[in-house]
Structure formats: structure tokens, C-alpha cells
Amino acid sequence: MELCPTIKNILLLDSEGKRIAVKYYSDDWPTNAAKEAFEKAVFTKTQKTNARTEAEITMFDNYIVVYKFVQDLHFFVTGGENENEIILATVLQGFFDAVGLLLRGTEDKKEALENLDLILLCLDEIVDGGYELSFIVLSIILETDANVIAGKVDSHSMDAGAPLSEQTITQALATAREHLTRSLLK
Amino acid sequence: MAQPLVKKDDDRDDEVDYSPFLGIEKGAVLQEARVFNDPQLDPRRCSQVITKLLYLLNQGETFTKVEATEVFFSVTKLFQSRDMGLRRMVYVIIKELSPSADEVIIVTSSLMKDMTSKTDMYRANAIRVLCRITDGTLLTQIERYLKQAIVDKNPVVASAALVSGIHLLQTNPEIVKRWSNEVQEAVQSRAALVQFHALALLHQIRQNDRLAVNKLVSSLTRGSVRSPLAQCLLIRYTSQVIRESTNDTQTGDRPFYDFLEGCLRHKAEMVIFEAARAITELNGVTSRELTPAITVLQLFLSSSKPVLRFAAVRTLNKVAMSHPTAVTNCNIDMESLISDQNRSIATLAITTLLKTGNESSVDRLMKQITNFMSDIADEFKIVVVDAIRSLCLKFPLKHRSLMNFLSNILREEGGFEYKKAIVDSIVILIRDIPEAKESGLLHLCEFIEDCEFTYLSTQILHFLGIEGPKTSDPSKYIRYIYNRVHLENATVRAGAVSTLAKFGAMVDGLKPRIFVLLRRCLFDNDDEVRDRATLYLNTLGGDGAVVETDEGVKEFLFGSLDVPLVNLENSLKNYDPSEKAFDINSVPKDVKTQPLAEKKATSKKPTGLGAPPPGPLSTVDAYEKLLSSIPEFASFGKLFKSSAPVELTEAETEYAVNVVKHIFDGHVVFQYNCTNTIPEQLLENVTVIVDVSEAEEFAEVASKPLRQLPYDSPGQTFVAFEKPEGVSAVGKFSNMLRFIVKEVDPSTGEAEDDGVEDEYQLEDLELVAADYMLKVGVSNFRNAWESMGVDFERVDEYGLGPRDSLAEAVNAVINLLGMQPCEGTEVVPPNSRSHTCLLSGVYIGNVKVLVRLQFGLDGPKDVAMKLAVRSEGETVSDAIHEIVASG
């Protein structure tokens, strides 16, 4: 049995099932075709459900998938069949809320693509691992608190010395706001 | 050229498909990446280009080695910029590009500089990147910094170092193990995630040292672990320790159980659930231990969060398999989940309820399921139908409502598999619950009135023919059956004719009316239907008067065919229409298995002229043909059984030999299939010298040498033994291959004249009791068992000792006896504590044997078995017990 809680993948798809940003931390899907097939299956299986207020959950092909939707964004976190469902849901919630903070409330596909850099950094801060260079594909949860994740992603506008974990939600929102102004000025 | 990544003021509202990456193209982006080389870096622009590169990679685009190297080298230039945002993107893309070892050297100095930077974000990320791409040699240089980082006051830096340690442990364990002290300090960190990462690393460092893990668990379970994730880890480690330790025999208390129970009161849901699940999965968990876990899971069932409901119902569903009574308290909460929006939850709830429900709740449950059935997929419906069937077998008194439910859903829309599952369930209920028979048969009759599946119609008609005549009023089924003759396709009509005939044969009073109906069928436009009608009119005899049907006729109509259908089909195909009538006794009774020899033969392409054609050798009748063509063996009588080939040599040896054991009533013939794998050799006069000193009941009577064995063309040599007639003599035979070897010139293929005599030791061969047993299945074990009677029944119990699993024990006994498992009983459901397995076969001397094996777990590993044998001969029943007793 896998002792350490393991995330198999994190997916952010649009309302047609197309990729916005995905990250695989497992070699269960060795090729891009296998990954796309999995995404298609997940999307078709979940698209008719209402996962907008609470995260929903399903099980297929011996994977547990937790998911949550907002506007045209579909968030998924996949784990093995023996994984603690609530840990998976915690990771999903962390990702979902962090993206919400970083997109400053306008959570839709356009905004997500325009801030793809932030979303990719976000994925990098949630789970560490899944790179082909390591001999064994290992992944470990780095952080599940949305405020901390968003804070770390947006840390370049902060005081270098301030410990990141001590950020409050107001700080996180402040940095997010600053980011907005910056991009508007472009 | 390069598009700005973010175009806020664009008129994008008019454009539905607006995307900053619209029309993005790899070549163009690689061109854009040249900005990384500009002397005056524009951080924002560079960030955008990196994002585009990452976007391409994320969409599944791949870079060639050259492209990746080029991008990597230009990215390394970006370390000159002091822009933090850009630096973050640089870290990410370096990890994604996964540079090769010789390229890594370019960035190591920059990364090492960042690793010692004052900025936490730089330190943390540089550690993660460097540990990702580095190899062992560099690690010794940076080890000092990593050890410091583990105890860094900034939690992000500490976590980065710990997580990197977890990855590095796979490749450089000896280095990471030196960090134990620092890691142990980090376990006490006030930061939650640091604690989690430190605990994970510490456990991995110590995982092979059971004592150290024990110590770690016992010290931490007493202390307070703050992080919920770390607490979940600790629960998993604790369960592992519990699994490996034994209970305190004096008090019966389980070590660490109190800790698990305490975790049920944790404030984090993930910890509560982890602990509850750990308790339910304890080996041999008692109901007292289960209760608190079930209670918290029950609370989760009514949570507003689907994830909690799912987690709880899934765990309870597993518990219900082994401890149904423990879950009954949750039944009311479970019932409300039947209407859950989430279909996975609803289905899990239904199947749990069907396992735990008591007799009084069945009616209410059925009502709820009826509402539920209309909006789930067929695959889920089949699960429900299966569960209802087992429920009905559990509570036979409830057959009325359950049968009604089945007949209702039978009338609704559904695919073939679903309908088949329902029909199968009704058939099983009719067979096992006598009171349900009449209503069940009528439901089936109504179903075939409007059934679109020919297969199901014919199955039901066949079943009606067997069960219908035994009911109190057989005549009421006739109408349904005769309607089929009018309204259906030819296959169903033929089936209906056979069914009518069975009623005529069994119910004498109906015979005159059946004759009228059958005579009408003589005018059918289908050959098969007319043929059947004619056949039955003639066999039933009596010219339609009320007379008793002849026993022989009944046997012909109802008796089971005692030959496998495949063999019958083959024999009929080979039968040449002639004066000589087809003899059903000539059909072999052995169930064919694909011998190994055939696979070998096809892959090796035999070319030799002397070798007999290998293809047909695979079948039993081919063996028979082959043996009867050898005059020495012609007098042995009818071949009883041929074994699958047994290899007598290792793979890839000079000579490959396998043997087929042919069993006759008073003789045994070993057929040695030999292959010469040396191109430079020709073998002549090949024989096998068999030593029977460990098989005393056997005496060699004949042997048939192989004249020539050229390279790569298989040939056979035979040895025959006499043995006491009809007895299952066993023994061990040692074999020596003896031959004359001649050198072959590989260029001309010609052999030299002079040869040398040589020998080659083969492995021993055993003749075991299972060799005297034919695998012959029966279609309905229960009927066969009852008709065999108790005259020669022998029952005894055996202890099989400790076994890996119940399934392993079941397989071992099946293989020992060499019999055919019936009705799928060779499959043991997971987690079951007992199992019944049904076997049938024909023993030498053509004696039918049926075996019922009941297995049970006796203690944690010990398997006990009750063996009941029924056969047509007392000695055979005893012989079966002897096989088991000695095996």
C-alpha cells in the first residue's frame, strides 16, 4: 500500500473538455494520447453533474476523481482507488480557491488563459514531483492552503524577507489586486 | 511578430473564441525565445515567451533534443535578470525541459548562488530545481546547504529541502540517511506542512528497520502532531505496525488501538476518516473495535459534502461484506442516500443496504429501489439485480415482493445483458425456492410473449420444458408455448416444439392435446421445426392416446448429453455419411485443452519428412488415431485420457523433450515429443530408457524408437507399460534419452556415416492420481448430485494447515484432484472466510464422480476442508479420499 498520500494528476479543463493546464504526477498515462483519453473520459463522465457549490466525486477505472466547476472552468484532482478521498478533496479545494484568488474573482477560461503563468506556478506549488528525470515517479503534496499557494505564486511583489506562511488573506488579495493593476496598465 | 501575451483592452468581447494562444505555433515561439539572448532583457516579455513554451508543452507538444537544448541554453541567460516573477518562470521551465547531465552544469552555479540567497523564495525554489536535475556527484557539494535548509526557520525552504530529500532518497540513499538528526528536528516544527514532509522523509529513511519504525510511531502517537496530513501519515504507519505485531494475548487489547480511536475525535475530517478506515481494515477486527468507527462514518453519511458521503458509504460497503451486522445501524441514513444526486453514492448505498438489510425492511427497500431504477445506467441495474437475487436467497419468505420486482423491471426497457441478468435471477430463484416456482414461471411466460431476444426466448422455453410439467397445473403453460409456434422466428418455433414434446412426455393426460398441436407443426415452412415435430410424434408413440411414456424416451428427451458439445460437433463433422450409423459412444468425453506441443510446433515450422503432421496432434481424437496406428498399442483398448504435455527439459537446452501420458484401462503409454536444436547433429535410433524402480506396479511391455531426429523437426518415441487393470497406480519414472549422434556438415546438410552412442538425462516424470481423472463438467450440479444418490457417499474432514489464502487452498485441491470445477465455484470472492467448491469428473473405468468441497478459515491462516464425494462406485469414492489424504 502506498503510505504517502499520492496525487495522480491535477487537471484544469474548459467547458468542452479541452486542456487549459494539466499536470501529471504519475506514469500511469505514459503518452499524450493516454492522457487525452483519460481527460476525455473524466470530462464526459462528469460534465452533466452539478459540481458548483460543493466538490463532487466519482470513481472509474480504479481511480477516484474529485472535481469542482466554476463558469467554464472544470477542476479535477485524481488519486488511486485506495486514496483518502478527503485528502484529494483538500488538494482540489486548495487549487480551486488559489486560482480564484489569483484570477481576482473573474474565474473563466479567458482570464485563466491570460494568466496561465500564474496557474502553472500554482500547480508547481501544490504538488512536487512528476518529472521524468527522477528514476521513480514520485509526488508529494507541497501545500493545500489556498492563501499560502496564491501568496507564494504572487510573491514577487512582496517584501523579500516576509515569511510566506504568515500571509493573511488580505495580503494575498492585496497582491492579487496589484497584479490586476499591473496587467491593466500593459 | 511576437504578440503580447495579455491584451486586456482588446475587443475580445466580440470574439467568442478569444484566446491569447490562438494560432500559436511552435516554430514561431522558438523564434521568439531569442529575446532571452538580448543584452537588455525585458522581463515581462521573457515571462510571456516562457509561458507560451510551457503552454505548448502542456498541450502535448514535444521539443526535439536540439530545440530543447537551444531553449535551455538561452533560458540560462535569464539568471542575469533580478526580476522575481521571471525567475519563478525560469525555475519551472528548467524542470520541464529536464536537461541532460552535461547541460545541467551550465546552471548549477546560478542555482547554487540562489540556494544561498537571502530571499526565501529563491532558496526554496533553487533547492527544488537543483535536486531535481542534479546527479550524485554534485550532491556532496551541496549537502551542507541542504542540511541547513531542512532546519531553516522559513517553512517553505524547509519543506523544499525535505521534499527534495524524499526524491533523492531513491537515488542517493546513503547521503540522505546522514540527515536523520536534522529531519528529526524538523518533525517537531511548528509549521504544519514541514512536519508532514519531515515525517514522510523520516519514515522512508527508517522504513526497513522495523524496530525504528515502532519507536517512531510509539513516540509520536503520544505526542501531538499538529498537521492533519502528518496525522494521516502517522495513522497509516500505525496500521502498518499493528499489522506486523501480535495482539497482547493476556488482555486481548490491540496495541495502538487507543490512538486510532482518539483520532476519531480529531478536528480535521481527513484525519477522522483516515482513522475510521484504518480501524475497519484491522485484521480480525472485533465489533467492539468497529463501533466507534462506524459511528463517525454514519455522521459523514448525512454530510452536505458529496465527498464525505462517498468516502463513508464506500468504506461501509466494504465493511458490510465481512461484518453486515455492524453496519445495520446506518441503514436509515443509507436509505436516504438512495436518492442521492451523485449516482456513485446511490449505487454504493443500495448495494450496502441489500447486504445488511433485514427481512422487515425488504418491502420498504424495494419500493425505494423501484423509483431509483428508472434513472441509472444498465451496468448499475445489473449490480442491483444481482444483489436482489442474493437477498431473495437469504430471505426466501420475501420471494413474492422480490419476484414481483424482478418481473416489473423485466417488462421495462433494457438491453440484452440486463434482461439476461433478470431472467437468470428468476431462474435461480425458481430452482432454489419451491414456493416461487409457479409465479416465477408465469412471469417468464409473460415475458416471452413480447421478447425481442431469441436467445432468451429459447432459454426460457427450454427451462419451461423441464420445470413446467412438474407444476400442479401444467396445462396452463401450453397456451404460451403454442403461441410461440405461431408468432416467432424459426429458432424459437423449434424450441417451442421441443418444449411441447416434453410436456407430452411427462404429463400423460396432456398427450392427446399435445399430439394435435405437434401435428399442426408438421406443416411449418422451416425444416428444423418440421423435423422436430416428426421426431417427437414418433418417439412419444401411443398414437396420441393417454398412455405412459416409455422410460427410454424420457431419458432421450430429458437426459443430459454426457459428451462435451464441442467434441460431438467435431465428431459429426468428421462423420462420413455411409451405411454405418453414427455412434455417439465414439465421441471422446475428455474436455479438450490446448497442449503446449502445438504452440511449439507452430512456432518452429517442422520441415522434416519423417515427422508426422503436427497440427491435428493437438486434439484428443488425433492422439487416439496416432496410438491406434501403432500396432504394438492397438490391443490396449479405448484411450481413456491423454495428459497435457509435461516438459522434461529446461528451455533452451540441446534437446527439448516433453511427454504426454496416455492412460488406458490396463496400460499406460508415454509419448515423448523430442526436438533436436543443434544444427550440426543428426540423431538416430532415439529411445527413452525408463527406470521403474519407484513405480513398482508398472512393467514395460513395448517401446517404439524414433529412427531419425534431424535438426528442428520434432519426432516422437513411445514407451508402453502394463499396469493392474482399472486401478489408479501411481509412481515416479526416471528417464534417460539414448541415441546415436552423427555429425552433420552444415554447408551440405549431409550426415557423416559413423555415429557415436550417447545419453542425455531427462527430468523425472510422475504419474499421479489426477491422471486417472477426466475433466467432465455437469450442467446442473445440484440435479446431478441428487440423482447420484447417497449410496456411495463418503464424507470426511481435513486440515490443510496454514495457506496463503483461501483461493490458494481451493486451487491446490482442484489441481490435486484434476477435476472440472462447476458453476464457477473455483473463484473465491475476496475477503471471504469460507467457500464451497463443486467439482465433477469421470474416473478410470468410466465412473462418474462428483465432489463437494467446503473450505473454511480456522484461525488466521489455517484452512479446514470438508470433502464430500459421491460416485457410482464405492472404491472410487474411497480412492478420492485417499488422493486428498496423501496429497
Side-chain angles (χ1 to χ4, degrees):
Chain A
M1 179 191 154
E2 187 67 61
L3 281 174
C4 208
T6 307
I7 306 294
K8 298 265 185 190
N9 64 44
I10 300 181
L11 315 173
L12 176 56
L13 307 179
D14 71 7
S15 54
E16 285 160 19
K18 291 206 193 78
R19 261 182 211 173
I20 294 173
V22 298
K23 187 82 194 140
Y24 285 80
Y25 306 99
S26 148
D27 51 5
D28 291 8
W29 303 273
T31 61
N32 191 50
K35 292 182 174 115
E36 280 176 346
F38 178 79
E39 287 157 31
K40 188 163 187 287
V42 169
F43 180 77
T44 356
K45 210 168 161 59
T46 58
Q47 60 174 335
K48 290 208 184 81
T49 54
N50 180 16
R52 292 184 187 266
T53 45
E54 289 287 355
E56 275 291 345
I57 183 163
T58 187
M59 192 173 164
F60 76 102
D61 287 354
N62 298 331
Y63 294 109
I64 293 178
V65 181
V66 288
Y67 54 100
K68 198 169 180 185
F69 306 155
V70 61
Q71 305 274 16
D72 51 0
L73 296 179
H74 293 210
F75 296 76
F76 303 89
V77 170
T78 307
E81 86 180 306
N82 290 319
E83 198 45 83
N84 181 327
E85 292 89 340
I86 302 166
I87 294 182
L88 298 178
T90 309
V91 173
L92 174 73
Q93 198 64 43
F95 179 43
F96 184 90
D97 290 346
V99 170
L101 284 171
L102 292 166
L103 298 184
R104 306 162 298 273
T106 39
E107 297 144 292
D108 57 29
K109 181 185 171 185
K110 270 176 226 162
E111 199 70 20
L113 283 172
E114 277 163 8
N115 295 285
L116 190 69
D117 50 343
L118 301 183
I119 290 171
L120 293 170
L121 287 175
C122 198
L123 288 170
D124 186 57
E125 293 293 353
I126 294 172
V127 174
D128 184 76
Y131 297 94
E132 283 164 26
L133 254 191
S134 52
F135 294 89
I136 296 165
V137 185
L138 258 181
S139 75
I140 186 155
I141 299 168
L142 264 183
E143 182 54 76
T144 58
D145 183 326
N147 295 317
V148 180
I149 297 166
K152 279 155 91 177
V153 168
D154 239 2
S155 63
H156 44 297
S157 51
M158 285 177 21
D159 283 350
L164 295 169
S165 59
E166 284 172 23
Q167 265 198 69
T168 60
I169 184 150
T170 15
Q171 275 175 305
L173 283 171
T175 52
R177 205 172 301 120
E178 216 177 299
H179 187 87
L180 172 73
T181 344
R182 234 189 23 250
S183 48
L184 281 171
L185 286 173
K186 262 179 246 178
Chain B
M1 270 298 290
Q3 300 280 314
L5 179 61
V6 181
K7 295 201 295 181
K8 275 280 163 186
D9 47 358
D10 221 317
D11 53 344
R12 54 179 190 171
D13 287 343
D14 306 340
E15 214 180 313
V16 185
D17 266 350
Y18 171 81
S19 155
F21 302 105
L22 203 65
I24 190 169
E25 203 260 316
K26 183 171 87 169
V29 180
L30 289 173
Q31 289 279 323
E32 279 184 64
R34 293 191 178 156
V35 297
F36 301 161
N37 298 321
D38 282 357
Q40 282 296 309
L41 282 175
D42 175 354
R44 187 151 301 135
R45 178 84 195 287
C46 292
S47 275
Q48 286 162 6
V49 177
I50 292 181
T51 309
K52 284 186 184 177
L53 289 166
L54 288 171
Y55 174 82
L56 287 171
L57 287 170
N58 216 284
Q59 294 295 320
E61 185 79 70
T62 49
F63 293 164
T64 64
K65 186 77 194 104
V66 177
E67 288 164 350
T69 307
E70 204 166 296
V71 171
F72 174 72
F73 279 123
S74 38
V75 161
T76 58
K77 306 259 170 59
L78 299 178
F79 276 100
Q80 290 166 22
S81 166
R82 301 212 44 83
D83 184 277
M84 283 177 103
L86 177 58
R87 187 67 59 87
R88 292 296 311 274
M89 297 308 284
V90 169
Y91 293 137
V92 173
I93 195 153
I94 289 178
K95 286 193 278 192
E96 289 292 344
L97 288 171
S98 42
S100 60
D102 50 332
E103 294 165 359
V104 167
I105 207 91
I106 310 285
V107 280
T108 43
S109 65
S110 308
L111 287 171
M112 277 166 76
K113 198 168 136 240
D114 282 359
M115 231 172 94
T116 52
S117 149
K118 282 199 177 60
T119 311
D120 295 331
M121 191 279 287
Y122 283 175
R123 287 214 302 287
N125 278 289
I127 289 171
R128 283 176 63 195
V129 178
L130 199 53
C131 292
R132 165 76 59 232
I133 63 177
T134 188
D135 58 2
T137 50
L138 189 70
L139 197 54
T140 43
Q141 288 180 55
I142 58 169
E143 191 187 350
R144 187 163 59 92
Y145 301 109
L146 290 175
K147 276 166 106 171
Q148 263 171 31
I150 288 173
V151 289
D152 197 294
K153 66 175 193 327
N154 182 295
V156 182
V157 176
S159 279
L162 289 163
V163 166
S164 301
I166 293 171
H167 293 299
L168 289 169
L169 192 66
Q170 309 298 323
T171 51
N172 300 82
E174 64 297 331
I175 294 180
V176 180
K177 279 179 183 163
R178 293 203 289 254
W179 309 345
S180 277
N181 287 338
E182 286 78 10
V183 178
Q184 213 154 359
E185 199 181 320
V187 172
Q188 303 304 325
S189 165
R190 293 184 56 78
L193 267 298
V194 175
Q195 199 171 43
F196 166 59
H197 296 136
L199 182 57
L201 179 54
L202 192 61
H203 180 265
Q204 283 195 13
I205 290 175
R206 295 183 178 174
Q207 62 185 350
N208 294 323
D209 181 352
R210 231 173 95 178
L211 212 65
V213 173
N214 255 330
K215 235 172 87 185
L216 177 70
V217 167
S218 44
S219 75
L220 287 177
T221 48
R222 263 181 273 126
S224 64
V225 174
R226 275 172 299 276
S227 149
L229 276 172
Q231 192 77 356
C232 287
L233 266 189
L234 188 56
I235 291 170
R236 292 184 188 187
Y237 300 156
T238 309
S239 316
Q240 196 186 29
V241 169
I242 295 176
R243 263 199 302 281
E244 286 164 3
S245 62
T246 46
N247 285 5
D248 187 328
T249 42
Q250 269 165 3
T251 59
D253 277 352
R254 207 187 282 272
F256 299 117
Y257 175 80
D258 292 342
F259 165 71
L260 293 181
E261 201 200 342
C263 288
L264 295 175
R265 294 183 288 276
H266 199 277
K267 58 182 187 302
E269 281 159 348
M270 70 165 80
V271 177
I272 300 174
F273 175 67
E274 188 74 44
R277 195 173 66 160
I279 291 175
T280 63
E281 286 170 2
L282 289 174
N283 272 336
V285 65
T286 64
S287 48
R288 188 168 58 92
E289 288 171 323
L290 265 179
T291 312
I294 303 286
T295 311
V296 299
L297 290 174
Q298 189 177 358
L299 288 175
F300 280 9
L301 287 181
S302 45
S303 161
S304 64
K305 295 179 189 164
V307 172
L308 287 192
R309 297 198 299 273
F310 177 90
V313 76
R314 191 160 78 108
T315 310
L316 290 171
N317 187 295
K318 278 188 206 148
V319 178
M321 287 184 199
S322 49
H323 299 82
T325 46
V327 186
T328 38
N329 280 343
C330 308
N331 279 1
I332 294 175
D333 306 84
M334 205 75 86
E335 274 173 37
S336 58
L337 292 184
I338 296 175
S339 50
D340 202 294
Q341 291 267 307
N342 185 316
R343 286 291 145 213
S344 307
I345 296 175
T347 312
L348 283 167
I350 282 276
T351 44
T352 314
L353 277 172
L354 292 175
K355 279 173 207 145
T356 61
N358 54 28
E359 195 150 1
S360 59
S361 66
V362 167
D363 292 316
R364 196 174 66 243
L365 199 57
M366 296 318 295
K367 214 167 156 188
Q368 265 162 314
I369 295 176
T370 315
N371 303 330
F372 162 88
M373 288 300 271
S374 57
D375 50 19
I376 55 170
D378 268 14
E379 45 180 0
F380 283 143
K381 288 181 184 168
I382 293 172
V383 175
V384 173
V385 168
D386 288 345
I388 293 204
R389 184 185 61 220
S390 34
L391 188 70
C392 192
L393 292 175
K394 201 163 113 195
F395 303 122
L397 286 177
K398 288 288 166 197
H399 72 85
R400 201 172 305 278
S401 61
L402 293 169
M403 193 64 103
N404 270 335
F405 174 79
L406 289 176
S407 74
N408 281 338
I409 56 174
L410 194 55
R411 275 188 226 117
E412 278 157 25
E413 285 296 299
F416 173 72
E417 289 298 328
Y418 174 44
K419 289 287 162 89
K420 183 170 177 295
I422 304 172
V423 169
D424 286 349
S425 296
I426 295 182
V427 166
I428 288 172
L429 296 183
I430 291 174
R431 218 179 54 199
D432 288 1
I433 306 172
E435 303 81 48
K437 184 186 277 183
E438 305 250 335
S439 68
L441 286 177
L442 276 176
H443 289 315
L444 291 179
C445 284
E446 273 164 33
F447 174 59
I448 54 171
E449 292 275 89
D450 183 25
C451 171
E452 54 185 309
F453 305 108
T454 300
Y455 174 84
L456 290 179
S457 292
T458 51
Q459 293 290 306
I460 291 173
L461 282 169
H462 175 78
F463 185 70
L464 269 176
I466 295 170
E467 296 294 339
K470 297 182 203 158
T471 56
S472 57
D473 181 13
S475 63
K476 67 180 171 197
Y477 302 103
I478 302 294
R479 179 172 62 88
Y480 295 103
I481 302 165
Y482 190 65
N483 277 346
R484 299 302 100 217
V485 179
H486 281 303
L487 304 166
E488 292 281 357
N489 62 44
T491 314
V492 179
R493 290 205 304 274
V497 166
S498 299
T499 307
L500 281 177
K502 284 177 184 166
F503 274 81
M506 296 300 282
V507 188
D508 299 330
L510 282 177
K511 210 178 235 177
R513 291 150 72 188
I514 296 284
F515 262 70
V516 174
L517 297 176
L518 284 179
R519 286 209 186 92
R520 286 192 197 165
C521 299
L522 291 172
F523 304 103
D524 197 281
N525 57 16
D526 183 78
D527 290 350
E528 175 74 20
V529 178
R530 283 198 310 274
D531 285 357
R532 286 199 189 193
T534 313
L535 172 73
Y536 292 128
L537 280 169
N538 283 318
T539 44
L540 288 176
D543 292 329
V546 184
V547 290
E548 201 171 320
T549 312
D550 186 55
E551 268 309 306
V553 173
K554 278 190 189 166
E555 176 61 29
F556 171 73
L557 286 175
F558 294 100
S560 63
L561 209 53
D562 59 352
V563 288
L565 283 179
V566 219
N567 296 4
L568 179 61
E569 188 185 345
N570 273 339
S571 302
L572 281 171
K573 275 183 187 155
N574 294 335
Y575 171 69
D576 296 318
S578 62
E579 286 300 300
K580 204 176 147 214
F582 178 77
D583 180 10
I584 198 155
N585 293 322
S586 68
V587 180
K589 291 182 181 173
D590 201 352
V591 178
K592 248 182 290 172
T593 48
Q594 190 90 340
L596 220 59
E598 192 194 31
K599 276 185 249 154
K600 284 174 85 92
T602 46
S603 64
K604 287 216 166 156
K605 258 198 281 170
T607 47
L609 298 164
L617 274 186
S618 58
T619 60
V620 176
D621 31 11
Y623 278 140
E624 199 168 358
K625 212 179 250 174
L626 176 72
L627 291 169
S628 58
S629 69
I630 300 167
E632 290 92 326
F633 309 148
S635 62
F636 291 175
K638 190 167 155 46
L639 177 64
F640 177 71
K641 181 188 182 178
S642 300
S643 75
V646 182
E647 297 293 333
L648 294 182
T649 51
E650 305 279 326
E652 314 297 325
T653 48
E654 297 98 307
Y655 314 111
V657 179
N658 66 47
V659 64
V660 178
K661 301 175 263 188
H662 299 291
I663 312 289
F664 294 85
D665 209 27
H667 295 85
V668 176
V669 176
F670 293 156
Q671 171 187 340
Y672 296 90
N673 300 312
C674 312
T675 311
N676 169 14
T677 63
I678 306 174
E680 297 83 17
Q681 285 190 356
L682 170 71
L683 307 188
E684 286 190 349
N685 205 11
V686 182
T687 53
V688 176
I689 309 299
V690 183
D691 178 7
V692 293
S693 56
E694 285 179 78
E696 287 166 353
E697 288 175 90
F698 296 86
E700 187 171 328
V701 288
S703 86
K704 189 170 185 303
L706 178 62
R707 211 168 51 80
Q708 273 200 332
L709 184 63
Y711 162 63
D712 205 15
S713 98
Q716 291 96 14
T717 166
F718 299 86
V719 183
F721 301 89
E722 199 170 37
K723 71 167 188 65
E725 198 139 319
V727 170
S728 55
V730 296
K732 195 171 177 184
F733 303 79
S734 64
N735 307 292
M736 176 82 79
L737 195 65
R738 182 174 292 170
F739 46 84
I740 294 165
V741 55
K742 290 185 172 176
E743 295 290 317
V744 173
D745 185 340
S747 52
T748 63
E750 277 176 33
E752 285 174 18
D753 290 341
D754 298 332
V756 188
E757 190 158 310
D758 201 358
E759 286 180 346
Y760 187 81
Q761 182 68 49
L762 302 174
E763 281 171 33
D764 292 347
L765 170 68
E766 274 193 273
L767 204 57
V768 294
D771 287 323
Y772 296 99
M773 182 69 78
L774 272 183
K775 282 190 178 184
V776 178
V778 290
S779 52
N780 185 334
F781 189 89
R782 199 188 160 103
N783 282 358
W785 180 261
E786 270 157 24
S787 61
M788 185 83 86
V790 291
D791 297 350
F792 303 117
E793 185 178 80
R794 291 287 178 277
V795 185
D796 207 349
E797 289 178 14
Y798 299 88
L800 302 182
R803 294 281 173 166
D804 287 349
S805 68
L806 210 53
E808 189 259 339
V810 172
N811 262 330
V813 178
I814 293 175
N815 287 335
L816 182 68
L817 291 174
M819 297 176 73
Q820 179 72 38
C822 301
E823 297 170 16
T825 53
E826 72 273 30
V827 183
V828 184
N831 295 328
S832 41
R833 312 246 334 137
S834 64
H835 184 72
T836 301
C837 180
L838 309 172
L839 304 174
S840 86
V842 171
Y843 202 60
I844 190 156
N846 269 331
V847 184
K848 273 189 201 154
V849 186
L850 297 170
V851 166
R852 202 156 82 178
L853 297 163
Q854 285 161 296
F855 294 86
L857 277 175
D858 185 12
K861 291 264 178 209
D862 283 344
V863 177
M865 177 180 80
K866 184 174 170 191
L867 168 68
V869 185
R870 286 188 183 184
S871 76
E872 293 168 339
E874 190 171 9
T875 48
V876 175
S877 295
D878 289 333
I880 303 294
H881 275 282
E882 262 168 53
I883 295 173
V884 174
S886 58

